[in-house]
């Protein structure tokens, strides 16, 4: 893979060292943001970077005319966010429709390597 990506491993295998080198590790992973399958091979003695991934739920307070959310975090889980755009895909459309219908909308945002992604939308039925 090129550059730093946020991926989760689905398979890691190792090969035995050959007579001219060290063992190799074969990584198969899924990109967290695109869903693309990636493969990488690394020497067995090498360090591998692991992204720090956070998954937080927010209440949608508003979706402005530019398409950005105003998100209120659950208590004790971070700060108000107004820098995440509501995507035009399925989850974004679901959030927009539910919000416009007057529902109390909860979204789950995945954050890794400086990128944010809307991964889940649901109605808050707990009634804060």
């Amino acid at each position: 893979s090129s550059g730093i990506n946020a991926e989760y491993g689905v398979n890691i295998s190792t090969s035995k060292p050959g007579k001219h080198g060290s063992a190799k590790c074969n990584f198969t992973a899924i990109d967290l943001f695109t869903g693309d399958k990636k493969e990488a091979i690394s020497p067995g003695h090498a360090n591998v970077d692991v992204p720090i991934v956070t998954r937080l739920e927010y209440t949608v307070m508003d979706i402005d005319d530019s398409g950005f959310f105003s998100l209120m975090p659950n208590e004790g889980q971070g700060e108000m966010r107004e820098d995440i755009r509501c995507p035009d895909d399925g989850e974004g459309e679901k959030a927009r429709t539910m919000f416009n219908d007057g529902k109390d909308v909860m979204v789950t945002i995945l954050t890794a390597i400086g990128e944010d992604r809307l991964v889940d939308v649901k109605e808050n039925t707990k009634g804060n």
Side-chain angles (χ1 to χ4, degrees):
S1 69
S2 60
I4 298 172
N5 296 308
E7 300 159 349
Y8 65 92
V10 292
N11 188 20
I12 300 171
S13 61
T14 56
S15 61
K16 293 181 180 172
K19 63 180 180 179
H20 296 297
S22 61
K24 302 269 190 282
C25 295
N26 299 306
F27 296 92
T28 304
I30 306 294
D31 188 294
L32 291 172
F33 298 112
T34 66
D36 293 343
K37 187 176 185 177
K38 310 258 179 123
E39 293 188 15
I41 298 173
S42 178
H45 63 274
N47 290 332
V48 177
D49 291 329
V50 178
I52 296 171
V53 180
T54 58
R55 182 183 189 99
L56 294 175
E57 279 195 341
Y58 296 88
T59 300
V60 177
M61 305 306 289
D62 190 25
I63 302 172
D64 70 18
D65 293 339
S66 302
F68 284 89
F69 285 118
S70 289
L71 301 173
M72 177 72 70
N74 286 344
E75 197 167 317
Q77 284 196 335
E79 300 178 359
M80 185 87 173
R81 299 279 309 260
E82 295 181 320
D83 59 335
I84 300 173
R85 186 180 292 275
C86 182
D88 294 327
D89 65 10
E91 290 299 314
E93 279 304 311
K94 182 177 172 185
R96 224 180 245 104
T97 299
M98 289 171 67
F99 183 78
N100 290 338
D101 288 348
K103 295 190 165 85
D104 188 6
V105 182
M106 300 287 296
V107 295
T108 303
I109 304 292
L110 205 62
T111 303
I113 61 168
E115 286 189 57
D116 300 298
R117 178 154 182 118
L118 172 65
V119 294
D120 189 37
V121 178
K122 62 187 175 191
E123 184 176 0
N124 181 7
T125 55
K126 294 176 185 151
N128 292 339

